[in-house]
Amino acid sequence: MATTTATSLPAPFTDLEPWVADWARPTRQERYDMRLSKTFDELAAFYDAIAPRAEQAIEYLNALDLDDLPDDATRLLQLLYSMILVSYAVNVFHQPRIPDSGAAFFDTTAEPAVSTGIGR
């Protein structure tokens, strides 16, 4: 009898599974906090793993109903959101924090609007 390994991402993206625990976060603030908790090398490793798969992931997600994503696809979308947030640190700032920002920080009070189908 064959054994199966449970994954939390869609089948074409199981190679990204090691990144789910840290980076599949539901809010921007959680993703930003994670970015600040990582070293530049950790951010670069995450970015380098996700970025080459981003276009394929977007195509996969575009074929689904955004208002009714299954849990595995939601986690994939969250990885993409994290990749975007990390891209600034990796490609522009070359460090986790925004340069010359001192102790300044910001809190996100609202997430981008994504229709949930509620109230239709």
Side-chain angles (χ1 to χ4, degrees):
M1 183 167 144
T3 59
T4 59
T5 303
T7 62
S8 64
L9 292 172
F13 303 97
T14 57
D15 60 306
L16 303 178
E17 196 69 35
W19 306 104
V20 170
D22 283 348
W23 293 105
R25 302 290 173 147
T27 68
R28 186 197 181 286
Q29 188 63 51
E30 288 176 85
R31 293 186 289 273
Y32 189 73
D33 291 344
M34 183 60 62
R35 181 177 112 180
L36 295 180
S37 77
K38 300 293 185 181
T39 66
F40 177 78
D41 289 340
E42 290 170 319
L43 296 177
F46 168 69
Y47 180 81
D48 290 345
I50 304 297
R53 303 295 308 283
E55 194 138 341
Q56 182 185 8
I58 291 167
E59 288 175 18
Y60 178 88
L61 293 167
N62 279 342
L64 302 174
D65 180 359
L66 185 62
D67 292 329
D68 193 27
L69 287 178
D71 290 342
D72 61 347
T74 297
R75 284 185 286 277
L76 181 61
L77 181 61
Q78 291 168 343
L79 286 180
L80 289 175
Y81 288 160
S82 290
M83 182 208 68
I84 293 164
L85 188 72
V86 166
S87 71
Y88 294 102
V90 172
N91 296 315
V92 178
F93 307 141
H94 305 289
Q95 63 184 25
R97 296 189 69 79
I98 299 171
D100 303 320
S101 61
F105 66 92
F106 63 91
D107 287 322
T108 303
T109 57
E111 288 290 313
V114 175
S115 173
T116 60
I118 299 172
R120 284 194 226 181

